[in-house]
Amino acid sequence: MACIASLANAHEFWIDPVEPVVPEGGEVVASLRVGQAYEGSSYAYVPPNFRRFDYVWQGETRPVEGVIGDRPAATVAVEGEGLMVLIHVTTDTFLTWDTFEMFESFVRHKDAEWTLAEHEARGISHEKVREVYSRYAKALVAVGSGEGADAEAGLLTELVALENPYTGGAEDGLRVRLLYQGAPRGDAQIEVFEKDAAGVVTVSTVRTDAAGEAVVPAVPGRSYMLDAVVLREPAADIAAAKNVSWESLWANLTFYFPE
């Protein structure tokens, strides 16, 4: 847990399937990763670190079962074929920014510059700015044909794929919807990490429209990680108990667009 906290400064958290396409009757195996530029360390299955770790299969939501210390963190055997959606929600983690300049760089990078003026308006010190954050990650995995669809999972913030990349739904880009508290989050930045077969990563951004939707350009044979961050004031009880000034909520979605 301490390692995760030390890597938190603008580092993404994602679910990384070992194989995004598995044969019918095969096992879905996935790692939990924290890092930058779509590269990061793998973390074990540790229940105190998450509020929710589930998979959606053929219309049913079930918990990912594991033993403390399992790495990769998820190994799920299923019968039949279809689209599996893995879901992971972390517990809260607290951090203190080393410098205000680092915090400023972070909020600018995550398209939340409004927090800087609000920081001043609220009279918050620039010294030892405290933040609480949590992660809301999903991954799409094809089992056999991969037929099926992503859907809202009821997360505080989440990215929902409106098309299935494994069944020909991404030739002209993959449509996604960004939600916050169940409602579309319009005019928001989504960071797009694209990794090719050689492991080379390129980063770009798209913006959602008024309906919270955006089209992510997709190239066959590449893996994608989408990331969007909400910055907000923390709940009063947490702010008081933990001396926290800001809260960040990280939505993440990973998928592969096959040849």
Side-chain angles (χ1 to χ4, degrees), residues 215-229:
V215 176
V216 177
V219 177
R222 299 189 180 179
S223 299
Y224 290 85
M225 177 178 71
L226 313 183
D227 193 75
V229 178

Side-chain angles (χ1 to χ4, degrees), residues 136 138 151-160 177-180 251:
Y136 304 82
K138 297 167 63 179
E152 295 181 27
L155 309 185
L156 183 55
T157 183
E158 70 175 297
L159 284 154
V160 181
R177 178 179 292 127
L178 178 61
L179 302 173
Y180 169 54

